[in-house]
Amino acid sequence: MSPSQPPLSETPETPEALSETLAACVESLALPQIQRHIFLCADQTKPKCCDKAASIEAWNYLKNRLKTLKLDIPTAERPACVFRTKANCLRVCQQGPIMVIYPDGVWYHSATPDVIEQIIQSHLINNQIVEDYAFLQHPLPNPKN
Ligand code: FES
């Protein structure tokens, strides 16, 4: 829970107050500025794709690097940001940690800190997929088409 969100016991009960807290959350998380959303299999209930400790190391690396490089927040020079979510399991369950980046729809295997650094530098910053670790490229189709 982010600092701007009240604890559940203090969650306002009126629809107006609730929508205000959601609006504050949307703003504090910069949700409308998200350019890419990364899901990483980490801290699994049943670690299958990799060792649980290795997945947590990968998650912490991803989180810290996005923060250090200021990719996790919009800036004046770059009004877009990268959102990250720790997934319990992405159902691939082999050669992990498994990572997927949307909207590109690029799935990566073996997302260790070294590989995550390559993905950050190449994919996130220079828009070049790291082919050595990408095992699927499937941008989601527009459901309206
Ligand atoms: S446990 Fe990592 S993808 Fe299933």
Side-chain angles (χ1 to χ4, degrees), residues 41 44 46-50 88-94 98:
C41 175
Q44 313 96 323
K46 293 182 184 171
K48 293 184 197 165
C49 67
C50 66
N88 193 304
C89 172
L90 288 164
R91 303 179 65 187
V92 175
C93 302
Q94 55 182 303
I98 298 296

Side-chain angles (χ1 to χ4, degrees), residues 43-115:
D43 200 9
Q44 313 96 323
T45 305
K46 293 182 184 171
K48 293 184 197 165
C49 67
C50 66
D51 181 72
K52 185 172 184 147
S55 76
I56 293 170
E57 182 187 11
W59 170 252
N60 288 333
Y61 188 85
L62 174 66
K63 205 169 54 167
N64 292 333
R65 285 299 284 155
L66 292 178
K67 189 170 188 162
T68 300
L69 296 169
K70 295 190 178 359
L71 292 172
D72 63 335
I73 52 165
T75 61
E77 306 79 44
R78 186 186 34 74
C81 61
V82 177
F83 208 64
R84 76 282 189 287
T85 296
K86 188 195 313 177
N88 193 304
C89 172
L90 288 164
R91 303 179 65 187
V92 175
C93 302
Q94 55 182 303
Q95 297 181 57
I98 298 296
M99 172 191 279
V100 58
I101 301 178
Y102 287 117
D104 320 56
V106 178
W107 290 75
Y108 288 107
H109 65 82
S110 309
T112 60
D114 283 352
V115 173

